[in-house]
Structures are given as C-alpha cells and as structure tokens.
Amino acid sequence: MTWLDLPADTGFGLTNLPYGIFSSGAADLPRTGVAIGDHVLDLAALTGDPVHATGSLNAFMAQGPESWAALRAQLTAWLTDPAHQERVTGHLLPRAGVTMRLPIEVADYVDFYSSQDHAENLGRMFRPGSPALTPNWKHLPIGYHGRAGTVQVSGTPVTRPHGQRKAPDDVAPTFGPSRRLDIEAEVGFVVGVPSALGTAVTVRDFPSYVFGVCLVNDWSARDLQAWEYVPLGPFLGKSFLTSVSPWVVPLAALATARVAAPARDVALLPYLEDAGEPWGLDLSLEVRLNGAVVSRPPFGRMYWTAAQQLAHMTVNGASLRTGDLFASGTVSGPEPDQRGSLIELSWNGAEPLKLPDGSTRSFLENGDQVTITAFAPAADGTRISFGEVTGRVVGK
Amino acid sequence: MTWLDLPADTGFGLTNLPYGIFSSGAADLPRTGVAIGDHVLDLAALTGDPVHATGSLNAFMAQGPESWAALRAQLTAWLTDPAHQERVTGHLLPRAGVTMRLPIEVADYVDFYSSQDHAENLGRMFRPGSPALTPNWKHLPIGYHGRAGTVQVSGTPVTRPHGQRKAPDDVAPTFGPSRRLDIEAEVGFVVGVPSALGTAVTVRDFPSYVFGVCLVNDWSARDLQAWEYVPLGPFLGKSFLTSVSPWVVPLAALATARVAAPARDVALLPYLEDAGEPWGLDLSLEVRLNGAVVSRPPFGRMYWTAAQQLAHMTVNGASLRTGDLFASGTVSGPEPDQRGSLIELSWNGAEPLKLPDGSTRSFLENGDQVTITAFAPAADGTRISFGEVTGRVVGK
C-alpha cells in the first residue's frame, strides 16, 4: 500500500509506474517523471541522477533490464514506506499542470500489420473475390519502416496532409488535401537495449531488449496511400504524423496481462515459435471520436505478438538501437464495433458512423478529435492505464 | 592553383573538397576531415572549431548554406594561398593511413525508385504481359522508408542475411541464408537543414536544405524481398545493411554536373515541376565485382531528380531532420552493361554474368566484393571523384 491518497481506480497505481518526459514551466528543462495517481514524480529532482535529466528516456532505457528492475523496486519502496513520504512528496507535481513531451528519441520506426481481423477487413474491401489474406500473412508478421522523424507526442495537431489522389474513374491524379483522413489504433513497443549487426534476437530474449509499451495512432491518408503504395508500400499516406502516448508502461507492469496468441492454423518456422513464451497482451483499447466511443479493439486477439515481431525484424541480422519503436498495426476485433480504423468502421464509406450529435463520419473532418485509451489487468485486480494518445485535425 | 602537389587526375582537387569523418589511430576520436589529393585535411585540428570534433557531419550540416559556403571559400583560400601552406600542411594526413567512419548520423533513410530503365527491367521480369511501369510511376517519385540504423560506412562486411524464401513451386516458405543476394548501385542525398512539420519544401528550395551527395549500395536479398513485399513493400530484404561512401561531396561542387532531367511524356503536377531548376546530375558510375567492371550506370538519365524527390517527400507536411538520407533507387541505363543490379545484369539468372576468372554470377557468392565508384565533371575540365562504396560478402 502506498502512503499516497490515490483516486479510486486510478489506473496509475503502484502496479503501473509508467515513465514519461515532462516539463512544468516554460523555462523548465524536460526531464523524466513517473505517473502515480494524479501526480507525476520528478525523478530527475528526486534521484539527482543525470540519466533522468536528458529530456528522453533513451539513456535510462539503454541501461538494460537490471537497471529497470532496480529502479522499479526503488520506486515501490519510496512510495510505500512512510519513512520516504516527506522527501518524495516534495517532488510530486499535479499531472494536470505539467506538459508532456515525446518520451523517446525515436531511432527506427517499424509498423506491423498483425491483426487478422484488420487484414481480412482490408483484403475484403480492396481485393473482393480474392482471398482476404495475402499468401505470406500467416507465415510472417508483415511490416514496413515508417518515418521516425514525424513520430510526435499526443496532442500534436494533425495537419491535414496534401498529396496526389486518384479515384479509379479519374484519368489522372489531382493534388490537394486528403479527403480520406483516417486513424489506426495501435500499440507500440519501445526498444531499450541495442543489438549487434548480424545477430538475430530470439522470441525468448524479448524482455531483455524491450523496455515498455505505449499507444500509437498511425494517422493515415487513405487516398494518398491507395495511389502510391504499389509496389513499394505506404509512404506519404503515413509519413505526415504518427502520434504516441506520453507514458511508456514498463514491460514489468504487464506480467498479469500476458496471454497466449490465438491458435495457429499454419505451422510456424522455428524462429517464430513462442511456445512457453506467450507475449500476447490482454489490453482493452477504446477509440473516441469527438468524445463518443466508436470502437473497443481487443489487443489480446492479435495474431502476431510483439516478441514474434521483434524476432522477425532481426532474423536477417538487422540491428536494434535504443529508441527503436515498433507498432502492432491497427488493432481490430471480429465485431463491427471493435474495428481500429474509420475505413473499417465505415466499411470504406458504405456505412458511415453515426455520432451522438447527429452527424455522420466516414473519414475525419477538420476539427475532429480522436483519442485512444487502453487498460491492462493488474495482479491486484486493479487496472493499469496507458493514458491516452489524442489529436485534433487542422485543415490547411 | 593549390600549393599542394596533387596526383594527376586525382578526382579530389580543389573543385571537390568533400567532407568525411575519420580517425587516425585506435585511441583517436573521430573528427571531420576534407579529402584533398591523397590526403585528408584535419578540420578539427586546423580550425579548433568544436563543430568539427563531434564525430559526425550533422552539427556542421545543420548550420546551413551560408556556413557551408563560407567554409568552402575558406578551404579554397587555405589550399591556394602559400601564406597558409606551412600551417595547413601540419594538418594533412595521408588518406591511406586513416580509418573512415560513417559520415553522418542518419535520421530517416528513404529509398526511391527513380530510374525508368531499372523500373521497366524489373516490371518486365516480374510482371510479363503487364505494362512495365505501374500507373503511378510517371506521376510521382515512388519511394519507401528504409532502416536508418543499418546504414553503415563503406567496408562494413556484408553478412549474408537469413530469412524466409518461397519459390513459386514451393508449398511453404523455408528458412535459411538468402540465395539471391544482390546489390543496388545508387546515389544518396544528405539533408543538412531541418524543416518544420506541416510545411512542404519546394523544388526550388532544394539547395537550401540538401548538403551533399554520396554513393549508396542498397544490398538486397531478392528471395526474402519477393516473398515478403506484398502488400506493404520491402522490409527484411533490404534492412540487413545499406552501405554508403565515406566522403560527402558538397552540392556546391556539382554545379557543372547539373543537367535537365529526361523529357517528360506525362504532365507533372505543379509541385513537381522543375522548370529552370534542373537537378539532374551527370554522374558516371562504375560497378566492380571482384575487381572487374560489370556495369557503368549513367545517373544523368534518372527520370526523377533529387529536388523532385525532396519536394514529393515533404509535400504532405512531413518534416526533414539533419542527417536525413534519401537515395535515388538503382541507377540503370538503357544498355545491358549499364544496369545497376545483378538481377538486371543476369536477367533474373537467365543470363549469368561471365567474370574474367572464368566464373559466372547471377547473384553474389560468399567472398565476393562489390565496389561502386562515380565521377562528375568539374568546371576546369577535371573530374570530381565520389570515392567508393565497397563491401565483401561474408557467409554465415
């Protein structure tokens, strides 16, 4: 039990202790904090350790699992032993009063495509009459590199991108603002420990490299994407912005959330086997559009786990760097109200969403705000919150 | 005229002055140097400016075009005015005795696909009976993000990647070392000045952002790539290694090399128009396999210029960072001996290359060494060398 007076069902109790980068005033240097209840604990000030004053989590993440575990144990002691109460209290700031920054310096950003429901939905919409999944889908976690430089913290305005769009009936592409601006509700994994070039990281070694988990909104311009993506994949349809939640939940907080991935109906090559090392995670996501819940995607059903994604990403010898971010791909469940993108929720515009204010949406309009939240179960029956990733669309 | 005694046709005369990062001994810190003749000028020691002692060109590149021009003028003065000879000579080291490092901290790495000959060759091989170019090819420079963390300096061993391969007749993929390891001879462009999120960079502004040019070998595992790349593009088939030459030739050295891009037979959208701002570059590449020249790709024929690639890459509002690297895509000409990849040179294995030692190659064997060089014309009738990017294949 903490000596702190935590709000009921806070989501930021002792079982969570996520890390982020905050500043508390204009002249203030960004530094590392830990969310606890409605407060942020100023780790830079409390510990005096310069690793927490760098303005990103990277230096701490690079220290590896023993340091992560040691600090987590220390935090628990500080927040439970009344002997520390006076000193620690002096470094607690109301979370409502601080500004959250991008928590990591993103090295490489990879986006996967690991929800079978999502992949089948898109396959049905775009390749009617063909199998919903491409032949490789159940043999490997399909992924691609995204733009690391446009990964931004939650709250960053979503400037509607311009680009080339060409409808099937158009004779030539036209240029202008995207008319099919969409979201993708995803879960992101942050690499702490680098690996050597030429060496694969195994499924089993996942927790030796991955520091924690955040939420990702992979904003997507479907019209730009559709015209550009054959044959080399998505580019400008994605690269204008990817938003991440400010709090990185340590892997250590998610032991209770671990679940097995869905049963396989296609045999896996040995390097992707996760027998005895299930890294599925029972996270419950919610997507709100202008305040109304429009979807509740279940993360536990993802066909490929983050440990399998990591093993695949490095099996060719590609090295990892501290700050690498890899995202799950859109999280969709089997039910219509569990789909993690508007293109699925509105079935490519055929069934527009009805919002409580009476308006409808197939894609995002200027002024729209999208917020994604998630919870994981904790050992003591409470819930672990991932905070939120939010953004409002700005016309241009 | 320089007071230095330069080798005949050095390629590293006063018209070039490329920048790189070198170290001269095991205990030595990597620092910025300029290649001149067979020497490297130690800029860190000569100038005492800490910007040249950071171990990458990024800090200097971020200073922008005025600083770049000022230092280039200063270098020219130092190397021509005999009054500086004694002081400067003390900071010249034989290039043969230094170790070259990765010249830039790579932010994002983008690879384009801008040679029409290359795109048509691949289209003919892989989509016989269909048009050689996809419908979007002449409307926009197709590109995708690669893995920035595995961009390495010339000389880095090429560890043969493992991964999933599936021939059309196989019932399921198998796992093992790539059997179709290939090269892609490319030219890379390095961004110096960052741009703001939400703002496009125009074709005209290209020299305000781009610092210089290097050579790139985008090593490719064709079997991994073929199985994985639908629908999200190349991933593990490319991400194991991308090699770059150690010397970055400043854009200012390439004024004489500028040529117009080939005539367009499809009208361009205004943001891609380069009327009056031709940034085609008349570079002559050579590809050597185990010492034998196997190709001479002509860069001047590229359909899309680097200025058009930059305008396209940012037209959706994506921001640039110092150290962004974007590569041209494989440079191929119309003649069989102008193709920039083995898959084209051997026509997908149907016409293996004959090497002088009597052996043949469709793809790379362990122990093979590939070296790419390039020259540009200079104003005084001499040639500007890009040095080389080389790598030897190591089995595993």
Side-chain angles (χ1 to χ4, degrees):
Chain A
M1 280 294 284
T2 175
W3 43 258
L4 258 169
D5 190 19
L6 294 182
D9 196 19
T10 167
F12 291 99
L14 280 179
T15 51
N16 192 348
L17 302 178
Y19 296 93
I21 299 295
F22 74 100
S23 57
S24 50
D28 211 46
L29 287 179
R31 55 203 186 275
T32 303
V34 171
I36 179 78
D38 291 338
H39 289 82
V40 55
L41 178 58
D42 184 338
L43 267 194
L46 177 62
T47 66
D49 186 341
V51 79
H52 300 306
T54 59
S56 96
L57 300 180
N58 288 43
F60 174 59
M61 295 196 303
Q63 292 182 349
E66 289 185 25
S67 285
W68 310 340
L71 181 56
R72 189 168 169 84
Q74 179 69 75
L75 285 165
T76 305
W78 281 331
L79 292 167
T80 50
D81 184 345
H84 299 293
Q85 180 168 356
E86 187 178 336
R87 190 169 70 94
V88 171
T89 301
H91 299 294
L92 287 171
L93 293 86
R95 279 205 284 135
V98 304
T99 302
M100 298 306 298
R101 309 297 186 102
L102 186 64
I104 61 172
E105 280 176 58
V106 182
D108 271 298
Y109 167 50
V110 167
D111 195 21
F112 284 95
Y113 187 58
S114 291
S115 157
Q116 182 172 348
D117 297 303
H118 170 72
E120 287 182 344
N121 284 340
L122 291 196
R124 282 190 202 104
M125 277 187 265
F126 291 116
R127 296 184 301 272
S130 298
L133 297 179
T134 52
N136 51 8
W137 201 92
K138 291 206 166 179
H139 291 281
L140 54 81
I142 293 174
Y144 68 100
H145 285 92
R147 190 164 186 84
T150 52
V151 175
Q152 304 284 330
V153 72
S154 174
T156 302
V158 185
T159 305
R160 183 180 294 274
H162 285 52
Q164 296 194 22
R165 309 88 34 112
K166 183 181 168 300
D169 297 341
D170 294 344
V171 289
T174 58
F175 181 84
S178 171
R179 300 169 181 135
R180 292 162 64 87
L181 184 58
D182 200 354
I183 62 157
E184 295 197 333
E186 307 196 11
V187 175
F189 293 81
V190 179
V191 172
V193 176
S195 71
L197 190 66
T199 309
V201 174
T202 65
V203 166
R204 184 170 298 269
D205 282 340
F206 174 72
S208 302
Y209 290 88
V210 169
F211 172 75
V213 185
C214 63
L215 300 176
V216 176
N217 190 342
D218 181 32
W219 306 93
S220 300
R222 301 296 179 192
D223 40 3
L224 278 55
Q225 184 183 349
W227 170 234
E228 75 181 357
Y229 90 105
V230 175
L232 299 186
F235 186 36
L236 298 191
K238 303 279 193 172
S239 65
F240 56 98
L241 182 67
T242 304
S243 299
V244 297
S245 58
W247 295 109
V248 179
V249 175
L251 221 53
L254 299 172
T256 304
R258 288 177 67 175
V259 292
R264 313 283 154 170
D265 43 20
V266 168
L268 295 185
L269 285 162
Y271 80 93
L272 290 170
E273 289 282 2
D274 62 353
E277 295 291 334
W279 275 106
L281 292 171
D282 178 25
L283 314 185
S284 303
L285 277 62
E286 276 191 353
V287 181
R288 284 181 176 75
L289 174 50
N290 298 336
V293 175
V294 295
S295 180
R296 292 192 167 88
F299 189 68
R301 284 179 53 90
M302 299 296 279
Y303 194 86
W304 297 106
T305 71
Q308 292 171 316
Q309 291 166 344
L310 188 74
H312 183 64
M313 188 161 55
T314 60
V315 76
N316 68 343
S319 47
L320 301 172
R321 289 182 295 169
T322 300
D324 280 349
L325 170 69
F326 60 103
S328 59
T330 308
V331 184
S332 291
E335 303 303 325
D337 61 356
Q338 294 180 325
R339 296 168 180 162
S341 67
L342 291 175
I343 196 170
E344 292 169 270
L345 288 165
S346 72
W347 208 253
N348 202 19
E351 302 164 12
L353 275 181
K354 292 183 182 63
L355 298 184
D357 66 3
S359 66
T360 60
R361 290 290 185 287
S362 291
F363 295 96
L364 295 173
E365 299 188 356
N366 292 345
D368 281 352
Q369 179 155 26
V370 177
T371 303
I372 304 167
T373 55
F375 287 93
D380 57 0
T382 63
R383 300 192 304 170
I384 286 172
S385 173
F386 284 73
E388 67 175 34
V389 57
T390 191
R392 186 182 295 277
V393 178
V394 179
K396 196 194 171 187
Chain B
M1 280 292 285
T2 175
W3 44 257
L4 258 170
D5 190 19
L6 294 181
D9 196 20
T10 167
F12 292 100
L14 281 179
T15 51
N16 192 349
L17 302 177
Y19 295 93
I21 300 294
F22 75 99
S23 56
S24 50
D28 211 47
L29 286 180
R31 55 203 186 273
T32 303
V34 171
I36 180 78
D38 291 339
H39 289 82
V40 54
L41 178 58
D42 184 338
L43 267 193
L46 177 63
T47 66
D49 187 341
V51 80
H52 299 306
T54 59
S56 96
L57 300 180
N58 288 44
F60 173 59
M61 295 196 304
Q63 292 183 348
E66 289 184 25
S67 285
W68 310 340
L71 181 56
R72 189 169 169 84
Q74 179 70 76
L75 285 166
T76 305
W78 281 330
L79 292 166
T80 50
D81 184 344
H84 298 293
Q85 180 168 356
E86 188 178 334
R87 190 170 70 93
V88 171
T89 301
H91 298 295
L92 286 172
L93 293 84
R95 278 206 283 135
V98 304
T99 302
M100 298 306 298
R101 309 297 187 102
L102 187 63
I104 60 171
E105 279 177 59
V106 182
D108 271 299
Y109 166 50
V110 167
D111 195 21
F112 284 94
Y113 187 57
S114 291
S115 157
Q116 183 173 346
D117 296 303
H118 170 72
E120 288 182 343
N121 284 339
L122 291 196
R124 282 190 201 104
M125 277 187 267
F126 290 116
R127 296 185 300 272
S130 297
L133 297 179
T134 52
N136 52 8
W137 201 91
K138 291 205 167 179
H139 291 280
L140 53 80
I142 293 175
Y144 67 101
H145 285 92
R147 191 164 185 83
T150 51
V151 175
Q152 304 284 331
V153 72
S154 174
T156 301
V158 186
T159 304
R160 183 180 294 273
H162 285 53
Q164 296 194 21
R165 308 88 34 113
K166 184 181 168 301
D169 297 343
D170 294 346
V171 289
T174 58
F175 180 84
S178 170
R179 300 168 181 136
R180 292 161 65 87
L181 184 59
D182 199 355
I183 62 158
E184 295 197 334
E186 307 197 11
V187 175
F189 294 81
V190 179
V191 171
V193 176
S195 71
L197 190 66
T199 309
V201 173
T202 65
V203 167
R204 184 171 298 269
D205 282 340
F206 174 73
S208 302
Y209 289 88
V210 169
F211 172 75
V213 185
C214 63
L215 300 176
V216 176
N217 190 342
D218 181 33
W219 306 94
S220 299
R222 300 297 179 191
D223 39 2
L224 277 55
Q225 183 184 348
W227 170 234
E228 76 182 354
Y229 91 105
V230 176
L232 299 186
F235 186 36
L236 298 191
K238 303 281 192 171
S239 65
F240 55 98
L241 183 66
T242 305
S243 300
V244 297
S245 58
W247 295 108
V248 180
V249 175
L251 222 54
L254 299 173
T256 304
R258 288 178 67 175
V259 291
R264 313 282 154 171
D265 43 19
V266 169
L268 296 184
L269 284 161
Y271 79 92
L272 289 170
E273 288 282 2
D274 62 352
E277 295 292 334
W279 274 106
L281 291 172
D282 178 24
L283 314 185
S284 303
L285 276 63
E286 276 191 352
V287 182
R288 285 181 176 74
L289 174 51
N290 298 336
V293 175
V294 295
S295 181
R296 293 192 167 87
F299 190 67
R301 284 180 53 91
M302 299 297 279
Y303 194 86
W304 298 105
T305 71
Q308 291 171 317
Q309 291 166 345
L310 188 74
H312 183 63
M313 188 162 57
T314 60
V315 76
N316 67 343
S319 47
L320 301 173
R321 290 182 295 170
T322 299
D324 280 350
L325 170 68
F326 60 104
S328 59
T330 309
V331 184
S332 291
E335 303 302 326
D337 60 356
Q338 295 180 325
R339 296 168 180 161
S341 67
L342 290 175
I343 196 170
E344 293 169 270
L345 288 165
S346 72
W347 207 253
N348 202 21
E351 302 165 13
L353 274 181
K354 292 182 182 65
L355 297 185
D357 67 1
S359 66
T360 60
R361 289 291 184 286
S362 291
F363 295 96
L364 294 173
E365 299 188 356
N366 291 344
D368 281 351
Q369 179 155 25
V370 177
T371 303
I372 304 168
T373 56
F375 288 92
D380 58 0
T382 63
R383 300 192 303 170
I384 286 172
S385 173
F386 284 73
E388 67 175 33
V389 56
T390 190
R392 186 184 294 275
V393 178
V394 179
K396 197 195 169 184

